[in-house]
Amino acid sequence: MAILATGGAGFIGSHTCLELLNAGYEVVVIDSLVNSSEESLRRVQELTGKTLRFYKGDTRDAALLDTIFTENEIEAVVHFAALKSVPESVKMPLEYYDNNLTGTIELLKAMRRNGCKKIVFSSSATVYGAENKCPFTEDMQTGTTTNPYGTTKLQIERIMTDTAAAEPDWHVVLLRYFNPIGAHASGRIGEAPGYPNNLMPYITQVAVGKREKLTVFGNNYPTPDGTGVRDYIHVVDLAKGHVKAIAFVLDHAGTEIFNLGTGNGTSVLELIHAFEEVTGVTVPYEIGPARAGDVAYSYANADKAKRVLGWQAELDVRQMCRDAWNWQKNNPNGYE
Ligand code: NAD
Ligand code: UFG
């Protein structure tokens, strides 16, 4: 019996495949490589000494999905595959809705056709919107999203919840990630964006000399130092959370939601300074205007995952900085 990871070659997917293999699961991956490289999977196999099965293709390809379900005994699916750039989604909403929504609907239909109704989904803290107050708890009403990417996450949560309500033999786990950063301790797998939209890959690209300086998006937020506060979570902790979520989804019908965060907030300036301290590298920055759609605070109440899944984050922000830097300096051009 195997776990199918859609988007398994990506940043979070590759780290999760590694943890699933180490936990003894067989792993099958479908990835279109639209935002990743097969090299990540080669390295996952090298690091674990185990093999996984890779299909290059799109989750909107119903025939390919049927082939995968026929050729493998898939017990459950972890659904990472999505386009994830907030600014790109504002420019290309149709492509985002098609890739993320159609890709999910085709996947769910293929799962049903093939008798596999257990799924763990990569959702985001963005579904809490600006209306809710931190720390976010899973029972809060979801908020208003500010971009097409975030809207796809909200809509997919709804599609899966409705499906599980209509057909009680579905097992659905919605994982709301906070801000995943860092990399595997080996420095062999990590986050490899072209142009970085997110804070940590921007910091590491400035530190390695690929960008001149970082722009801090606003310092007038109602936070202690005026910069945005986020719940950064080490990608290895996040990956281990998926192993717990898979174990849970195998024998729990219905829909269950879990925040995957640390419960701690860190400001932009605190993250820059932590990075400088642990690496000894200076990160030049300037203060710029606030970025549209950003909230002042986003951090989790992570109690439910601890109570129900027996999972909690273990690595702190300093370790996240150390590992992000170790990956960046050993792989200045990602997987190229
Ligand atoms: P990523 O881009 O590194 O990984 C996504 C993978 O999916 C890529 O390998 C890409 O090639 C693949 N893919 C995209 N569309 C596909 C399709 N239609 N068919 C097959 N493969 C496809 O991103 P990531 O950071 O690893 O994120 C994984 C998931 O977690 C995504 O769903 C993302 O929206 C979600 N998420 C990420 C963050 C974050 O900050 N990284 C936060 C919250 C949620
Ligand atoms: N920031 C900067 N400069 C940069 C990049 C980011 O100051 O160059 C700031 C942002 O304003 C924010 C913080 O750093 O205060 C974190 O920004 P990120 O872009 O790293 O992360 P976000 O919290 O904006 O977004 C993340 C995911 C999204 C998800 C969202 C949900 O990347 O996929 O969380 O809250 F939708």
Side-chain angles (χ1 to χ4, degrees):
M1 297 289 257
I3 306 300
L4 174 64
T6 73
F11 172 46
I12 302 167
S14 57
H15 287 81
T16 302
C17 287
L18 184 148
E19 296 300 335
L20 285 170
L21 287 169
N22 279 341
Y25 288 99
E26 280 174 52
V27 176
V28 178
V29 170
I30 174 176
D31 198 304
S32 63
L33 304 180
V34 64
N35 195 39
S36 55
S37 157
E38 200 178 335
E39 175 63 13
S40 66
L41 296 175
R42 202 191 62 69
R43 295 188 188 182
V44 164
Q45 295 176 84
E46 173 194 288
L47 287 165
T48 57
K50 298 181 178 179
T51 53
L52 54 73
R53 194 156 185 193
F54 176 57
Y55 294 83
K56 181 177 182 307
D58 200 292
T59 53
R60 290 166 293 184
D61 182 344
L64 174 61
L65 290 175
D66 282 339
T67 302
I68 294 174
F69 281 103
T70 305
E71 291 183 353
N72 304 278
E73 265 190 67
I74 306 290
E75 208 174 353
V77 177
V78 197
H79 183 35
F80 300 103
L83 296 175
K84 65 157 184 178
S85 160
V86 169
E88 192 179 64
S89 79
V90 174
K91 290 191 200 107
M92 304 163 56
L94 266 183
E95 283 71 16
Y96 269 67
Y97 287 118
D98 183 37
N99 190 79
N100 295 2
L101 296 182
T102 311
T104 300
I105 291 167
E106 287 303 334
L107 175 67
L108 294 174
K109 290 199 300 191
M111 289 175 68
R112 184 169 58 184
R113 268 197 311 280
N114 290 279
C116 170
K117 291 182 151 188
K118 298 176 179 175
I119 188 162
V120 174
F121 171 61
S122 300
S123 189
S124 164
T126 199
V127 303
Y128 289 109
E131 295 92 334
N132 288 298
K133 277 194 81 159
C134 287
F136 298 138
T137 53
E138 293 87 346
D139 55 5
M140 287 173 167
Q141 286 279 335
T142 50
T144 309
T145 51
T146 55
N147 56 77
Y149 164 74
T151 305
T152 67
K153 293 291 159 190
L154 201 55
Q155 291 176 338
I156 293 168
E157 284 202 355
R158 189 66 187 267
I159 289 167
M160 291 188 177
T161 306
D162 289 348
T163 302
E167 299 169 29
D169 54 343
W170 276 92
H171 297 205
V172 173
V173 166
L174 308 176
L175 296 179
R176 293 179 178 160
Y177 309 158
F178 282 71
N179 288 58
I181 59 171
H184 189 257
S186 63
R188 295 288 291 154
I189 57 172
E191 188 170 13
Y195 184 85
N197 296 305
N198 299 115
L199 181 58
M200 181 55 98
Y202 210 105
I203 289 176
T204 59
Q205 289 200 10
V206 171
V208 85
K210 291 182 82 167
R211 319 254 163 222
E212 195 195 336
K213 59 174 178 281
L214 173 79
T215 302
V216 174
F217 297 146
N219 65 350
N220 283 318
Y221 285 106
T223 60
D225 66 18
T227 65
V229 168
R230 296 290 181 274
D231 186 342
Y232 297 97
I233 173 169
H234 197 296
V235 66
V236 171
D237 275 333
L238 188 72
K240 289 178 177 168
H242 288 73
V243 177
K244 297 284 192 183
I246 282 288
F248 178 88
V249 87
L250 290 177
D251 53 32
H252 288 84
T255 302
E256 210 61 63
I257 305 175
F258 297 101
N259 287 337
L260 293 185
T262 65
N264 303 316
T266 303
S267 75
V268 177
L269 294 180
E270 283 171 340
L271 191 68
I272 296 170
H273 294 140
F275 184 89
E276 291 182 328
E277 251 180 66
V278 302
T279 64
V281 182
T282 303
V283 179
Y285 67 85
E286 64 182 6
I287 306 293
R291 183 172 65 177
D294 276 358
V295 293
Y297 282 101
S298 170
Y299 59 91
N301 174 317
D303 293 350
K304 186 178 173 189
K306 184 176 178 189
R307 185 167 34 85
V308 181
L309 299 178
W311 170 89
Q312 66 181 327
E314 285 168 355
L315 304 169
D316 65 10
V317 160
R318 295 169 67 85
Q319 194 60 44
M320 300 178 210
C321 292
R322 226 174 264 128
D323 289 334
W325 179 233
N326 185 38
W327 155 255
Q328 176 75 74
K329 70 172 192 274
N330 287 313
N331 307 268
N333 298 313
Y335 290 109
E336 277 167 34

